[in-house]
Structure formats: structure tokens, C-alpha cells
Amino acid sequence: MVEQVIKKLEKMEVLNNTYIVFSSDNGFHLGQFSLPVDKRGLYEFDIRVPLWVRGPGIKPSVRQEVVLNIDLAPTFIEMAGLIPPTDIDGQSILGLLSVDNVDQIAETEWRDSFLVEYWGEHHPAVPNCPQYNGQGVADCFPSCVCEDSWNNTYSCVRTLNKSSDLIFCQFQDNQSFEEFYNIRKDPDQLENIIYTASKQTLVHLRQNLMYYKQYDGGRDHKRLR
């Protein structure tokens, strides 16, 4: 389909004056950590999505800045020659794409962390799997292997910059379970380092997450340092 669109734009002689943005829905896990097929986890293979952009003024490059799906709306508005509202979630990435040198964008000018949240799905009754009724689970088809549960409710702060590549998460369950990964050292997220982190680090992580959960948007946001 993408090829057909590009060929059509070439035929119409408007390809070089057209922005093309290609992305997708959430990531997907297919057996990692013995998880059923789904996309409701806090891990990299679930929360990352591809993003390719081409168009006038954009040179071929790979950018490392943290871009979120909330950035698409203000980006499209600016691509249309308009000014995004100041109270809109996200930021236009058109300026990032138009910069030749990655180092021209300072870390203080662009986000390096963001909030990841999910509310676990659960139902009183589980069709075709009555043994799970009342246990707070959901989507247990086709073989009574459940995709979700009430205690899969979590909030995370994902941080990615030149010095840090981290994710810290808290679950809303009976244990207040936490997960903390240094993805630069542990890209497969196999070692939960929450148990070896210093008390000072844990205090900082928890305060930072609380701040993000209370934060209501805007362009002047700066995470706790």
C-alpha cells in the first residue's frame, strides 16, 4: 500500500511537496517472558513503535529523541502551515526533522522521559473459562490462557538520554510491586534491579513517577532531576 501511494504521488508530480508519515499501533509480544500474544506490557517490545517521516526539508537520518504518539497531532498542524495550540498535548517534531546536526537539539530543549500507564482489564465472569470467574482476569480465549488481569495495572517513567536508558514501574496490586531496568546494560529487561538500587535512587524514582502522574501537560514541563 505504501508503495502504491508513493507511485501515485510521483505520477501526480507532488511527491516532493508531500509529507508522508508511517507508524503503527502498539508493539506486540509473541512469547517473550512466556507471555501470551498481546501488547499490554511495560516492556520495550510493547511500548515502542516505528516512525518514518519523509517530506520537504527533511533529510535522511535516524533521530534519537523521545517522540510520542501525542506529538503527531501538533506535527500535522505545523505541516499544514498552522501554529499548534499552546495547550495541546505533545510537541511538533518538524523542527527535529529539519535539523541537520543531532547535537543542535540540546537535551534541555526536548523531553528525555515520559509516562507509561496501563489499567489492567478484568471481568467478574470469564466466558468459556468458569474456573476463572471472580478472579479478576480477562481475555482468556481460546484456551483459558488469560491475557490480562486487575493486577496488570501499572505506571512507569521511561527515561532515555545520552547518560541514561531506564524504566521504573509501580504496579497497583496487593504487593505494590516495582520493576526497574537499566536497558542500556540489560536490553532484554531480564534483571530487575529494584532490589539493588540505593535508597536515595528509590526515593528519586518514586517521587519522579508521582510527579508525572500528577502532571497535566504543557510545554514547560521539566522532570525532577
Side-chain angles (χ1 to χ4, degrees):
M1 182 183 71
V2 175
E3 181 182 9
Q4 293 175 343
V5 170
I6 291 177
K7 287 184 176 180
K8 182 66 173 180
L9 293 171
E10 286 180 328
K11 187 176 180 179
M12 297 172 62
E13 299 183 349
V14 295
L15 178 61
N16 293 331
N17 194 37
T18 302
Y19 289 105
I20 298 176
V21 180
F22 180 87
S23 189
S24 76
D25 194 1
N26 298 63
F28 219 72
H29 54 255
L30 297 167
Q32 292 96 324
F33 303 147
S34 298
L35 293 169
V37 176
D38 206 28
K39 52 185 178 182
R40 313 183 206 206
L42 55 89
Y43 307 105
E44 289 291 278
F45 43 75
D46 278 10
I47 66 175
R48 280 184 175 265
V49 296
L51 177 63
W52 289 272
V53 184
R54 80 176 305 278
I58 299 176
K59 296 183 179 181
S61 64
V62 177
R63 307 294 306 193
Q64 300 299 325
E65 289 84 5
V66 174
V67 174
L68 308 176
N69 55 8
I70 58 173
D71 296 327
L72 294 179
T75 299
F76 296 154
I77 292 173
E78 187 172 4
M79 285 178 174
L82 304 174
I83 299 175
T86 56
D87 59 348
I88 194 172
D89 286 337
Q91 305 175 62
S92 171
I93 66 171
L94 198 56
L96 293 179
L97 301 175
S98 302
V99 174
D100 291 333
N101 188 348
V102 175
D103 294 332
Q104 287 182 250
I105 300 292
E107 288 187 2
T108 55
E109 297 177 2
W110 194 260
R111 74 171 70 87
D112 66 354
S113 54
F114 59 95
L115 181 67
V116 180
E117 288 186 302
Y118 179 70
W119 191 270
E121 183 181 356
H122 55 94
H123 304 290
V126 181
N128 302 316
C129 303
Q131 67 271 32
Y132 293 143
N133 287 347
Q135 296 189 28
V137 296
D139 293 341
C140 300
F141 55 90
S143 304
C144 291
V145 177
C146 301
E147 305 281 358
D148 212 353
S149 65
W150 71 273
N151 60 354
N152 190 37
T153 298
Y154 58 81
S155 301
C156 310
V157 172
R158 178 73 172 91
T159 301
L160 179 60
N161 53 43
K162 291 181 179 179
S163 60
S164 301
D165 192 352
L166 310 168
I167 188 168
F168 169 73
C169 303
Q170 286 183 339
F171 283 81
Q172 294 185 32
D173 58 12
N174 293 333
Q175 300 176 342
S176 298
F177 189 72
E178 295 177 324
E179 295 190 34
F180 179 34
Y181 298 98
N182 184 334
I183 299 176
R184 188 159 294 163
K185 295 181 179 180
D186 179 23
D188 295 321
Q189 293 170 271
L190 298 177
E191 182 181 358
N192 183 6
I193 57 175
I194 194 70
Y195 306 107
T196 57
S198 67
K199 290 184 178 180
Q200 181 179 2
T201 297
L202 291 177
V203 169
H204 173 79
L205 291 170
R206 291 163 181 162
Q207 288 180 341
N208 200 29
L209 178 57
M210 184 180 300
Y211 181 71
Y212 266 89
K213 292 173 69 174
Q214 296 174 346
Y215 174 64
D216 62 359
R219 296 171 181 269
D220 59 347
H221 170 51
K222 296 292 185 294
R223 72 183 179 91
L224 297 179
R225 303 258 178 195

